[in-house]
Amino acid sequence: MDSNCLFCKIAAGEIPAEIIFEDDDLLAFMDIAPQAPVHFLVIPKKHIPGPAAVEEQDQKLIGKMMQLGARMAADKGIGDNFRLVFNNGAEAGQTVFHIHMHILGGRNMGWPPG
Ligand code: 5GP
Ligand code: ZN
């Protein structure tokens, strides 16, 4: 755990969130500022700063994130049409430097993203 990290604090239960799934490795919770009718985040409990910091030993964990995201999307009624987003770096829109996967759905999505 990184004691300065917002998502580590959410994973530790120190900051409240609307948690929709939790197991030993992962946490899923609703985004505080939703950008679509359904918008939640999946994070590993392990502190990884972002996609560029993923290492060989994290491959299974990252795969689990995608599987969980798709499953929770189905639970939320957007299982057939949803977007997964990982931002890496401030210029790409990353504001929290603990890796997280956005799952957005419930509206039409534009392409390319802004
Ligand atoms: P990023 O911009 O780093 O890809 O995404 C960070 C996301 O975390 C944003 O969509 C933002 O709304 C969300 N977020 C930031 N702080 C909190 C918080 O305290 N609680 C929750 N649930 N989401 C947060
Ligand atoms: Zn963290």
Side-chain angles (χ1 to χ4, degrees):
M1 165 156 179
D2 178 332
S3 55
N4 293 317
C5 172
L6 175 64
F7 286 176
C8 281
K9 287 180 184 166
I10 288 178
E14 290 172 12
I15 290 178
E18 189 182 340
I19 292 168
I20 55 174
F21 179 88
E22 179 168 16
D23 70 7
D24 287 347
D25 298 322
L26 302 179
L27 193 69
F29 54 96
M30 303 311 291
D31 197 290
I32 204 168
Q35 301 301 312
V38 177
H39 183 181
F40 61 93
L41 304 172
V42 175
I43 66 167
K45 290 186 172 176
K46 176 183 176 183
H47 181 82
I48 299 170
V54 171
E55 296 179 336
E56 189 86 19
Q57 67 266 24
D58 301 321
Q59 286 182 2
K60 197 169 173 189
L61 187 61
I62 302 302
K64 267 189 79 172
M65 286 174 71
M66 180 168 289
Q67 189 181 28
L68 176 65
R71 205 175 96 206
M72 297 310 298
D75 281 3
K76 291 279 177 191
I78 57 162
D80 292 331
N81 293 283
F82 57 88
R83 180 167 291 172
L84 307 181
V85 176
F86 284 87
N87 293 321
N88 188 92
E91 287 178 24
Q94 189 177 7
T95 59
V96 178
F97 290 84
H98 178 129
I99 194 169
H100 50 279
M101 185 174 72
H102 296 258
I103 296 89
L104 302 114
R107 64 168 170 83
N108 288 328
M109 297 288 168
W111 192 265

